[in-house]
Amino acid sequence: MTWIEGEQDQVQDRMDAWMNENRPLRDPDYARIAEATKLLDSELAAGGTPEQSYDRRVVMDVLTVYAARRAEQTSAENPKETPGALDLFTLLLNVAFEGFAYGVLFVQSRAKVREALLDRLTLADVGHALQTHLSDQQAMEGFYASLVSLKSLQFVSFVRAQNYAVRLRVKALPHQRVKESQAALWMDMFLLGAVFEELGGHREGPESV
């Protein structure tokens, strides 16, 4: 992944090559993530807005505040004012993983009535559940793998984190904008994870490891 520090006009070519080599086409979870992406695109094509896509599943104001809080916490753990390209990408990759997992677990746990207080409580419960599985790398990977194929989550998170990282590096944005991008990516992946779970969630397959 160190090629991220290369020239910006070379990054996309290298990323395209990496995607062609590593896209988990035989993984049923990847097919379901693609289905979730297509569904979200269709909601926009039908005249909807991103806000409406969120509001169908969670009180967006609650989620926005929660995502901003997670970005603040993550930034406090990674206090570099101007992180290097690899540090920035690693940070965004972790954010993407977490956001997707939050979306899956939120759908599994959410109340039948969509209400701000209930959504806040559900997000807090999801956060607690995640923290109990992050004590070491093996426990964390095992927990993520129970929600979605790691190969598919890694691929999708890589692509989306890289897109955010490239935009940030091109614009040389300040630390505050990095936090805003963390929150936006977290919400992006939360929504994808939520729709993935609504469509049936994790399925075992030949490339599900």
Side-chain angles (χ1 to χ4, degrees), residues 12-191:
Q12 191 60 52
D13 288 342
R14 293 176 179 177
M15 184 176 177
D16 289 344
W18 181 91
M19 288 171 62
N20 289 334
E21 293 173 4
N22 293 277
R23 193 185 305 274
L25 293 174
R26 296 173 60 231
D27 185 350
D29 277 1
Y30 181 72
R32 182 153 281 165
I33 290 173
E35 185 183 358
T37 302
K38 184 177 180 180
L39 175 60
L40 289 168
D41 288 344
S42 71
E43 290 179 1
L44 297 179
T49 65
E51 291 78 11
Q52 289 171 332
S53 291
Y54 282 104
D55 274 328
R56 287 189 179 95
R57 297 159 177 103
V58 60
V59 176
M60 187 174 176
D61 288 346
V62 171
L63 189 67
T64 301
V65 170
Y66 197 90
R69 185 180 304 131
R70 289 297 302 131
E72 288 287 351
Q73 292 169 348
T74 304
S75 295
E77 297 164 2
N78 301 272
K80 292 183 180 179
E81 184 65 26
T82 54
L86 187 57
D87 288 338
L88 176 62
F89 175 75
T90 301
L91 174 64
L92 292 171
L93 186 62
N94 290 335
V95 166
F97 262 71
E98 182 187 284
F100 190 95
Y102 260 86
V104 170
L105 291 169
F106 181 85
V107 170
Q108 291 179 357
S109 308
R110 66 185 172 189
K112 293 181 179 180
V113 178
R114 196 172 59 85
E115 197 271 333
L117 176 60
L118 296 176
D119 282 357
R120 278 196 294 270
L121 292 173
T122 301
L123 285 169
D125 288 343
V126 168
H128 177 73
L130 275 173
Q131 287 302 315
T132 61
H133 291 88
L134 301 183
S135 56
D136 60 67
Q137 186 70 20
Q138 186 175 359
M140 179 179 66
E141 289 183 0
F143 184 64
Y144 280 128
S146 71
L147 305 176
V148 60
S149 157
L150 281 180
K151 184 171 288 188
S152 289
L153 180 58
Q154 288 166 349
F155 181 85
V156 174
S157 295
F158 183 100
V159 172
R160 299 210 179 193
Q162 174 63 9
N163 287 337
Y164 274 79
V166 167
R167 289 199 296 269
L168 285 168
R169 298 304 297 180
V170 166
K171 297 179 181 179
L173 296 173
H175 191 62
Q176 178 59 33
R177 195 58 185 273
V178 173
K179 288 194 291 186
E180 292 171 0
S181 291
Q182 288 179 58
L185 176 58
W186 191 95
M187 290 182 64
D188 180 20
M189 291 298 287
F190 175 98
L191 184 59

